[in-house]
């Protein structure tokens, strides 16, 4: 099976191509606010490195959040467009799914920065969800980690570790592919524009 996955939820633009048992990755660092400019070039780079065409992709995968509101939308729109044009299925996965494969032993509290001392967090034990993911202050994440005697986990910049975890999470997600119209963002709070509109 050939799989193309994208992650545009953070500062980096990450593309993963799985061609059978071989993996080809492409990371554009510090691409925040420019994902839309580079995403198709990055996808093309991964495809060329893998020696195949987009038509050879069986399933597309996309990280649907949590993370950057704009980044999430860009990744989902790109994957929806490709699936629609090529009549392919897709598979959603979350930032937490990837985190679960960074640390596969013990309970972890993965956190994704939400800015201004806030974060998105969850609690997982061997990939199983123990607490519904939520938006919270970082101080609350520390309290939750203490409560569960868990490791408070933030993504590091080790590209090799990230892509190994990304690959495992993608392989799990594609076992249950969906139609592209079902691909939706995984948001844990309203966007800034929506929050401001509620205050009016």
């Amino acid at each position: 099976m050939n799989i193309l996955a994208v992650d545009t939820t953070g500062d980096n633009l990450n593309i993963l191509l799985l061609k059978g048992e071989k993996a080809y990755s492409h990371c554009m660092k510090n691409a925040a606010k420019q994902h839309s400019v580079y995403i198709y070039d990055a996808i093309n780079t991964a495809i060329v490195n893998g020696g195949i065409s987009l038509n050879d992709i069986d399933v597309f995968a996309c990280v649907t959040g949590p993370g950057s509101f704009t980044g999430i939308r860009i990744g989902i729109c790109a994957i929806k467009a490709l699936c629609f044009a090529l009549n392919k299925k897709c598979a959603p996965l979350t930032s937490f799914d990837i985190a679960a494969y960074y640390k596969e032993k013990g309970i972890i509290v993965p956190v994704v920065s939400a800015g201004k001392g806030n974060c998105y967090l969850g609690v997982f034990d061997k990939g199983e969800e123990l607490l519904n993911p939520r938006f919270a202050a970082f101080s609350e994440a520390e309290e939750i980690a203490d409560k569960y005697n868990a490791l408070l986990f933030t993504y590091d910049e080790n590209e090799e570790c990230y892509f190994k975890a990304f690959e495992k999470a993608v392989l799990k997600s594609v076992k249950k592919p969906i139609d592209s119209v079902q691909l939706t963002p995984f948001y844990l709070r309203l966007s800034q524009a929506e929050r401001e509109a509620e205050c009016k």
Side-chain angles (χ1 to χ4, degrees):
M1 178 183 284
N2 298 325
I3 306 162
L4 181 79
V6 305
D7 182 0
T8 55
T9 61
D11 289 339
N12 297 341
L13 170 57
N14 295 308
I15 310 292
L16 177 67
L17 171 66
L18 300 178
K19 178 185 175 184
E21 296 184 356
K22 292 186 177 180
Y24 302 87
S25 61
H26 180 69
C27 174
M28 181 172 289
K29 294 186 179 297
N30 301 315
K33 299 182 180 179
Q34 298 187 76
H35 287 119
S36 61
V37 177
Y38 298 115
I39 188 167
Y40 287 110
D41 285 341
I43 288 173
N44 185 65
T45 297
I47 291 295
V48 170
N49 289 343
I52 62 175
S53 72
L54 284 173
N55 282 313
D56 296 320
I57 301 298
D58 297 299
V59 182
F60 290 87
C62 180
V63 181
T64 59
S68 161
F69 277 81
T70 303
I72 291 169
R73 289 188 177 102
I74 290 167
I76 287 178
C77 286
I79 292 302
K80 278 179 174 275
L82 290 170
C83 288
F84 180 79
L86 301 169
N87 193 28
K88 303 286 185 175
K89 295 279 190 178
C90 61
L93 64 152
T94 71
S95 303
F96 296 142
D97 292 328
I98 299 172
Y101 284 105
Y102 264 85
K103 306 289 183 181
E104 296 184 65
K105 294 182 180 180
I107 301 175
I108 63 168
V109 179
V111 296
V112 177
S113 175
K116 298 181 179 179
N118 298 311
C119 65
Y120 305 107
L121 65 86
V123 181
F124 298 85
D125 185 7
K126 298 177 182 176
E128 296 299 319
E129 188 178 289
L130 301 182
L131 181 71
N132 290 336
R134 62 189 59 187
F135 170 76
F138 192 83
S139 57
E140 184 179 342
E142 295 173 329
E143 292 172 2
I144 290 174
D146 288 340
K147 176 181 177 181
Y148 283 89
N149 192 27
L151 173 68
L152 186 64
F153 176 78
T154 56
Y155 293 90
D156 58 35
E157 296 299 319
N158 188 315
E159 190 174 315
E160 182 180 354
C161 290
Y162 164 81
F163 276 107
K164 284 182 178 179
F166 192 14
E167 179 178 346
K168 290 178 181 178
V170 166
L171 288 173
K172 180 180 179 181
S173 72
V174 298
K175 292 178 181 179
K176 295 180 180 179
I178 60 175
D179 292 326
S180 59
V181 293
Q182 298 174 284
L183 189 65
T184 56
F186 177 53
Y187 291 142
L188 292 176
R189 66 166 174 164
L190 297 175
S191 68
Q192 181 177 346
E194 290 169 324
R195 295 196 304 272
E196 290 175 352
E198 281 192 344
C199 293
K200 292 181 179 179

